[in-house]
Amino acid sequence: QEQLVESGGGLVQAGGSLRLSCAASGSIFSSNAMGWFRQAPGKEREFVAAVSRYGRSTDYVDSVKGRFTISRDNARNTVFLQMNSLKVEDTAVYYCAAAGWIQYLTSTPPRMNYWGQGTQVTVSS
Protein backbone atom coordinates (compact mmCIF):
# COMPACT_ATOMS: atom_id res chain seq x y z
CA GLN A 1 0.00 0.00 0.00
CA GLU A 2 1.04 3.60 -0.52
CA GLN A 3 2.69 4.93 2.63
CA LEU A 4 4.02 8.23 1.26
CA VAL A 5 1.65 11.14 0.64
CA GLU A 6 2.69 14.11 -1.50
CA SER A 7 1.15 17.57 -1.41
CA GLY A 8 1.87 21.10 -2.60
CA GLY A 9 1.55 20.71 -6.34
CA GLY A 10 -0.35 23.18 -8.46
CA LEU A 11 -0.21 25.74 -11.25
CA VAL A 12 2.52 28.37 -11.23
CA GLN A 13 3.94 30.91 -13.68
CA ALA A 14 7.41 30.40 -15.13
CA GLY A 15 9.97 31.95 -12.82
CA GLY A 16 7.83 31.28 -9.78
CA SER A 17 8.33 28.97 -6.82
CA LEU A 18 6.57 26.00 -5.31
CA ARG A 19 7.27 23.73 -2.34
CA LEU A 20 6.31 20.07 -2.38
CA SER A 21 5.90 18.02 0.79
CA CYS A 22 5.91 14.27 1.36
CA ALA A 23 4.67 12.81 4.62
CA ALA A 24 5.48 9.27 5.72
CA SER A 25 5.00 7.06 8.74
CA GLY A 26 7.73 7.39 11.33
CA SER A 27 8.97 3.83 10.91
CA ILE A 28 9.31 4.23 7.15
CA PHE A 29 10.77 7.71 7.18
CA SER A 30 13.44 7.12 9.83
CA SER A 31 14.86 4.05 8.09
CA ASN A 32 15.08 5.39 4.53
CA ALA A 33 16.77 7.87 2.30
CA MET A 34 14.16 9.99 0.51
CA GLY A 35 13.88 11.35 -2.99
CA TRP A 36 11.76 12.94 -5.68
CA PHE A 37 11.09 11.75 -9.20
CA ARG A 38 8.97 13.26 -11.93
CA GLN A 39 7.19 12.15 -15.07
CA ALA A 40 6.31 14.64 -17.78
CA PRO A 41 3.66 13.97 -20.44
CA GLY A 42 4.99 11.48 -22.96
CA LYS A 43 8.21 10.97 -20.99
CA GLU A 44 9.57 8.29 -18.70
CA ARG A 45 9.87 8.84 -14.97
CA GLU A 46 13.19 10.49 -14.09
CA PHE A 47 15.18 11.11 -10.95
CA VAL A 48 15.07 14.69 -9.62
CA ALA A 49 16.60 14.88 -6.14
CA ALA A 50 17.55 12.74 -3.15
CA VAL A 51 18.62 13.17 0.46
CA SER A 52 20.32 10.55 2.60
CA ARG A 53 18.83 8.99 5.71
CA TYR A 54 20.34 11.53 8.10
CA GLY A 55 20.48 14.44 5.69
CA ARG A 56 24.26 14.34 5.24
CA SER A 57 24.20 14.00 1.47
CA THR A 58 22.05 15.28 -1.37
CA ASP A 59 22.00 14.67 -5.10
CA TYR A 60 20.21 16.36 -8.00
CA VAL A 61 19.68 15.87 -11.67
CA ASP A 62 21.71 18.44 -13.62
CA SER A 63 18.65 20.24 -14.98
CA VAL A 64 17.49 21.36 -11.51
CA LYS A 65 20.82 22.12 -9.81
CA GLY A 66 20.82 25.62 -8.37
CA ARG A 67 17.03 25.86 -8.60
CA PHE A 68 15.66 22.98 -6.48
CA THR A 69 16.53 22.09 -2.90
CA ILE A 70 15.62 18.85 -1.13
CA SER A 71 15.47 18.72 2.66
CA ARG A 72 13.98 16.55 5.38
CA ASP A 73 12.51 17.13 8.82
CA ASN A 74 12.97 13.83 10.61
CA ALA A 75 11.03 14.99 13.67
CA ARG A 76 7.94 15.55 11.50
CA ASN A 77 8.59 12.63 9.12
CA THR A 78 8.43 14.94 6.12
CA VAL A 79 10.65 15.56 3.10
CA PHE A 80 10.42 18.77 1.05
CA LEU A 81 11.31 19.86 -2.44
CA GLN A 82 11.69 23.62 -2.75
CA MET A 83 11.44 24.54 -6.42
CA ASN A 84 12.54 28.02 -7.50
CA SER A 85 12.90 29.66 -10.91
CA LEU A 86 10.47 27.16 -12.35
CA LYS A 87 10.49 26.49 -16.07
CA VAL A 88 7.81 25.16 -18.37
CA GLU A 89 10.03 22.10 -18.77
CA ASP A 90 9.53 21.31 -15.08
CA THR A 91 5.87 20.48 -15.70
CA ALA A 92 5.31 16.90 -14.55
CA VAL A 93 3.76 14.66 -11.95
CA TYR A 94 6.18 14.61 -9.03
CA TYR A 95 6.54 11.43 -6.97
CA CYS A 96 8.04 10.96 -3.54
CA ALA A 97 10.08 7.80 -2.97
CA ALA A 98 11.90 6.03 -0.15
CA ALA A 99 14.88 3.67 -0.28
CA GLY A 100 17.30 2.17 2.21
CA TRP A 101 20.30 3.99 0.71
CA ILE A 102 20.61 7.19 -1.29
CA GLN A 103 22.44 5.15 -3.94
CA TYR A 104 19.25 3.17 -4.55
CA LEU A 105 17.45 6.39 -5.49
CA THR A 106 20.08 7.40 -8.03
CA SER A 107 20.85 3.96 -9.44
CA THR A 108 19.74 2.69 -12.83
CA PRO A 109 17.19 1.32 -12.40
CA PRO A 110 16.24 2.88 -9.04
CA ARG A 111 15.50 0.46 -6.20
CA MET A 112 12.61 1.83 -4.14
CA ASN A 113 10.99 0.54 -1.00
CA TYR A 114 7.98 2.88 -1.34
CA TRP A 115 6.37 5.28 -3.82
CA GLY A 116 3.87 8.06 -3.28
CA GLN A 117 0.82 8.66 -5.46
CA GLY A 118 2.22 11.77 -7.14
CA THR A 119 1.29 15.44 -7.24
CA GLN A 120 0.87 17.51 -10.40
CA VAL A 121 3.10 20.53 -11.02
CA THR A 122 2.19 22.69 -14.00
CA VAL A 123 4.35 25.65 -15.03
CA SER A 124 2.85 28.10 -17.50
CA SER A 125 4.65 30.63 -19.68
Side-chain angles (χ1 to χ4, degrees):
Q1 305 302 319
E2 298 290 344
Q3 294 181 272
L4 307 176
V5 180
E6 302 97 331
S7 62
L11 176 65
V12 65
Q13 291 275 0
S17 298
L18 206 59
R19 188 180 77 163
L20 305 183
S21 299
C22 174
S25 69
S27 60
I28 297 301
F29 192 86
S30 64
S31 60
N32 284 276
M34 304 295 296
W36 291 92
F37 292 72
R38 66 186 180 187
Q39 188 166 17
K43 303 293 185 180
E44 294 186 352
R45 190 174 299 186
E46 68 169 343
F47 167 78
V48 177
V51 60
S52 62
R53 181 176 175 179
Y54 299 109
R56 296 171 186 164
S57 301
T58 58
D59 200 6
Y60 301 89
V61 67
D62 286 346
S63 61
V64 308
K65 288 180 179 177
R67 300 189 298 119
F68 291 10
T69 302
I70 188 170
S71 62
R72 63 190 294 160
D73 185 339
N74 288 356
R76 291 190 286 165
N77 303 321
T78 304
V79 63
F80 304 96
L81 185 67
Q82 178 66 46
M83 304 183 293
N84 298 328
S85 301
L86 282 162
K87 304 176 180 179
V88 172
E89 298 93 316
D90 296 317
T91 295
V93 176
Y94 283 71
Y95 297 90
C96 183
W101 299 92
I102 191 170
Q103 292 86 355
Y104 290 171
L105 289 153
T106 60
S107 66
T108 303
R111 301 177 181 180
M112 301 296 104
N113 289 335
Y114 303 96
W115 287 100
Q117 82 288 351
T119 185
Q120 177 71 49
V121 172
T122 303
V123 184
S124 63
S125 61

